[in-house]
């Protein structure tokens, strides 16, 4: 079930996505409102689950995590026990930035961030030692063209 937001909520969310470290006063000024209604709307959107964890974005390259692999996984296992163990393993691996279950020939795709190919191989060896996997294909991203955590709020219905 999606939450209904109006034009002011959308402005607040856009302002928060751009820079959540702004003060309440700055956000209110930016969206053309006062602090109290903006604070109330932010609180309601948090309670509704529209606004989740607030964090900071780090530069992976600056931290030496220069290799981004997209890992395609095919499995012949589809039992609940295997899936629970596989998902637990993924959640415990800090290198896994994203994991998606797919429709089609590939069962899962992972986005894995590591320092280099050797670090990826260590991740791979650890993964296959934890759970049985039918086929793994790793694709190294040569260049990140676009990556954004910002949702397209202009497309959200009012």
């Amino acid at each position: 079930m999606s939450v209904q937001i109006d034009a002011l909520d959308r402005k607040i969310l856009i302002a928060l996505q751009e820079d959540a470290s702004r003060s309440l006063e700055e956000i209110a000024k930016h969206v053309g409102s006062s602090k109290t209604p903006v604070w109330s709307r932010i609180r309601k959107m948090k309670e509704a689950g529209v606004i989740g964890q607030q964090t900071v974005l780090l530069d992976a390259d600056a931290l030496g995590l220069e290799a981004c692999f997209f890992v395609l996984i095919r499995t012949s296992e589809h039992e609940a026990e295997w899936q629970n163990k596989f998902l637990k393993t993924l959640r415990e691996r800090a290198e896994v930035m994203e994991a998606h279950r797919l429709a089609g020939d590939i069962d899962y795709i992972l986005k894995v961030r590591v320092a280099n190919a050797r670090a990826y191989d260590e991740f791979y060896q650890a993964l296959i030692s934890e759970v049985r996997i039918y086929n793994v294909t790793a694709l190294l991203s040569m260049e990140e063209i676009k990556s954004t955590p910002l949702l397209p709020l202009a497309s959200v219905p009012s």
Side-chain angles (χ1 to χ4, degrees):
M1 183 172 109
S2 62
V3 175
Q4 294 291 331
I5 63 170
D6 64 16
L8 182 56
D9 291 333
R10 185 177 283 106
K11 287 180 183 178
I12 292 167
L13 292 172
I14 289 169
L16 287 170
Q17 280 195 134
E18 290 171 351
D19 184 0
S21 70
R22 292 183 195 177
S23 70
L24 184 58
E25 187 173 334
E26 290 173 309
I27 293 169
K29 183 177 178 183
H30 182 78
V31 302
S33 187
S34 60
K35 291 189 319 187
T36 302
V38 169
W39 177 82
S40 176
R41 286 169 177 262
I42 290 172
R43 183 181 49 77
K44 285 178 185 174
M45 287 189 283
K46 283 182 179 180
E47 289 170 359
V50 173
I51 299 173
Q53 176 184 7
Q54 291 178 270
T55 186
V56 63
L57 300 176
L58 304 177
D59 186 312
D61 290 336
L63 293 168
L65 298 172
E66 298 175 358
C68 179
F69 286 87
F70 292 92
V71 182
L72 310 177
I73 295 177
R74 291 178 65 200
T75 180
S76 58
E77 310 282 335
H78 296 283
E79 298 82 23
E81 182 181 337
W82 179 90
Q83 187 176 37
N84 290 337
K85 185 174 183 180
F86 177 67
L87 298 179
K88 180 180 183 291
T89 300
L90 294 183
R91 289 183 181 112
E92 291 174 352
R93 299 302 307 213
E95 304 93 333
V96 178
M97 305 297 298
E98 294 181 32
H100 301 266
R101 189 168 56 88
L102 305 176
D105 292 339
I106 304 297
D107 296 304
Y108 297 90
I109 185 169
L110 314 178
K111 180 179 179 182
V112 176
R113 182 63 83 155
V114 290
N116 52 38
R118 180 173 291 128
Y120 171 75
D121 188 53
E122 291 171 8
F123 163 80
Y124 168 76
Q125 295 298 331
L127 179 65
I128 63 171
S129 74
E130 290 285 322
V131 290
R132 186 174 29 202
I133 297 174
Y134 173 70
N135 182 273
V136 177
T137 301
L139 306 169
L140 173 63
S141 172
M142 299 299 290
E143 176 185 17
E144 183 176 85
I145 297 167
K146 179 179 179 181
S147 176
T148 179
L150 307 182
L151 293 176
L153 293 174
S155 303
V156 175
S158 296

